[in-house]
Amino acid sequence: MAPITNGRLIFKEIPTGYPIPGQTTAYDTSSHIDLETEPLNGSILVKTLVLSVDPYLRGKMRAPERESYTPPFFVNEVLYNYGVGKVIRSETSAFRAGDYVYGILDFAEYFIPKDITKLEVIAKEPTLPYSVYVGAAGMPGQTSYYGWKEYAKAKAGEVIFVTTAAGPVGSIVVQLAKQDGLKVIASAGTDEKVKFCKEIGADVAFNYKTTNTADVLAKEGPIDIYWDNVGGPTLETAIANTALRARIIICGYISQYNGEEDYGIKSMKNVLSNRLSINGLLVFDHQDRYKDEFYKVIPKKLASGEFIYTEDITRGLEKGGEAILEVQKGVNTAKKIIVVADD
């Protein structure tokens, strides 16, 4: 078989603000691959089907010397993230040709993983598309489930405030909270997203761009749990409207991902007076404890329709840079997924 073009999305330069398609990232067609003869060296050849686009990718677009909880991307190398692919060829007993795998995939049409331990075979629910396994049934859903189990300590009748509640993490949190009998206050950035929050059960949902968050929390709170995906002034407002012994779960801070100045929280005295607990949430800290339970519970709820999910699909890896920018700007309408190829 003659070699074919292997499209890839390359990290080209470290951004100072938003990641600009064609500048921060670039679609590259200079690589070619022979699907029948490419050496595997004991690994597997994977055809990439879907890739996840997540807010945390911006944090990987940094200078290599800057430490963080996740390794940086390196200039002129291929981006990577969670995805689903199909095994085309295998030289290991761990995978067979035809297996569908989930884990860390290159932003490339085909790739040969250096570390196959970062991939696992998917036991898919028959009615769910593979795209769900990079969203509600993948890392974002795991983040919601693990954080809820580990830190929420929820009791029926309590009040939770969830930011970016229409997103893949926030929307599962909303549904977990309603399942446990909580009153849910949800914020989102468009009227369409607010409507979705109401559809998944939020008792109070509002557009934070047109409605004052402090006014909503003063009326509907105080809050016993705050699930924070944004940081900045919203975190400050939430702390100011907490109940005694409230729990704050810090899951993200997208208001400060793209070069914005650090925001000094002015309501920290409430941490003392209300005896608040604050925990940072990173999904990989809790895999060993909750992963098996997650896969037994959440995909079935999604397949049955008990839990609802939405997706915002970008078709074609060549549009990957635009998809990344949309997520950073918050103009995506749901969980952003790049469909690289059909099965």
Side-chain angles (χ1 to χ4, degrees):
M1 182 177 180
I4 61 173
T5 299
N6 185 23
R8 307 175 300 164
L9 193 67
I10 307 294
F11 181 49
K12 295 301 293 183
E13 69 174 33
I14 298 168
T16 56
Y18 286 112
I20 306 302
Q23 182 175 320
T24 307
T25 59
Y27 181 65
D28 174 75
T29 58
S30 65
S31 177
H32 295 78
I33 187 170
D34 190 317
L35 302 182
E36 294 180 351
T37 64
E38 190 74 23
L40 302 185
N41 300 314
S43 185
I44 58 178
L45 174 61
V46 178
K47 177 183 180 181
T48 303
L49 301 179
V50 295
L51 292 166
S52 177
V53 179
D54 300 293
Y56 87 98
L57 293 181
R58 176 61 180 83
K60 296 174 73 66
M61 298 177 179
R62 65 181 191 274
E65 62 271 15
R66 283 182 53 202
E67 294 186 1
S68 186
Y69 63 87
T70 183
F73 291 134
F74 290 96
V75 170
N76 293 323
E77 293 190 4
V78 180
L79 280 76
Y80 56 86
N81 196 25
Y82 294 93
V84 173
K86 185 176 183 179
V87 178
I88 304 300
R89 291 166 46 217
S90 174
E91 291 184 354
T92 169
S93 60
F95 300 98
R96 298 177 299 176
D99 282 344
Y100 292 87
V101 293
Y102 166 78
I104 300 298
L105 275 63
D106 281 1
F107 275 51
E109 292 173 344
Y110 297 90
F111 85 110
I112 299 167
K114 295 178 182 177
D115 183 1
I116 61 172
T117 65
K118 294 183 178 181
L119 298 174
E120 58 186 308
V121 176
I122 294 176
K124 188 174 87 70
E125 290 290 326
T127 59
L128 291 179
Y130 283 108
S131 57
V132 180
Y133 286 84
V134 300
M139 184 275 289
Q142 290 170 357
T143 301
S144 308
Y145 192 82
Y146 300 173
W148 190 254
K149 287 288 184 176
E150 186 71 14
Y151 299 125
K153 299 177 175 60
K155 303 178 185 68
E158 289 189 322
V159 179
I160 181 173
F161 174 38
V162 184
T163 51
T164 64
V169 174
S171 61
I172 296 297
V173 172
V174 169
Q175 293 173 89
L176 288 168
K178 291 306 300 177
Q179 175 183 266
D180 286 353
L182 278 70
K183 173 182 174 179
V184 176
I185 305 169
S187 70
T190 69
D191 292 342
E192 179 184 8
K193 292 178 181 179
V194 169
K195 180 182 177 183
F196 176 65
C197 291
K198 294 178 180 177
E199 290 172 354
I200 60 176
D203 300 279
V204 178
F206 68 97
N207 184 338
Y208 70 88
K209 294 179 181 177
T210 58
T211 303
N212 185 278
T213 300
D215 291 344
V216 174
L217 297 185
K219 178 183 177 182
E220 304 292 346
I223 55 177
D224 301 285
I225 304 170
Y226 173 47
W227 191 288
D228 184 31
N229 289 310
V230 297
T234 305
L235 173 58
E236 178 178 277
T237 301
I239 291 174
N241 286 274
T242 47
L244 189 67
R245 294 186 174 85
R247 286 79 70 199
I248 296 176
I249 302 167
I250 307 294
C251 185
Y253 52 98
I254 198 166
S255 67
Q256 295 172 252
Y257 281 169
N258 291 282
E260 299 89 348
E261 291 185 6
D262 288 343
Y263 186 87
I265 304 297
K266 303 179 184 68
S267 53
M268 290 300 290
K269 64 180 178 60
N270 283 38
V271 175
L272 173 62
S273 59
N274 287 348
R275 281 84 97 197
L276 307 183
S277 64
I278 302 176
N279 286 281
L281 170 62
L282 294 176
V283 65
F284 46 75
D285 287 341
H286 308 284
Q287 292 277 19
D288 291 345
R289 185 171 184 181
Y290 296 114
K291 180 180 173 183
D292 291 344
E293 179 183 333
F294 169 84
Y295 278 118
K296 289 176 182 176
V297 173
I298 295 301
K300 285 181 170 55
K301 287 183 180 291
L302 296 166
S304 69
E306 181 181 351
F307 277 16
I308 299 170
Y309 68 92
T310 55
E311 297 176 333
D312 181 350
I313 302 293
T314 292
R315 291 196 170 271
L317 188 57
E318 68 276 7
K319 298 177 183 176
E322 286 80 1
I324 291 171
L325 180 59
E326 287 175 14
V327 169
Q328 294 303 316
K329 288 191 169 182
V331 298
N332 53 306
T333 59
K335 166 61 189 169
K336 174 59 75 173
I337 293 164
I338 301 171
V339 174
V340 179
D342 296 319
D343 190 10

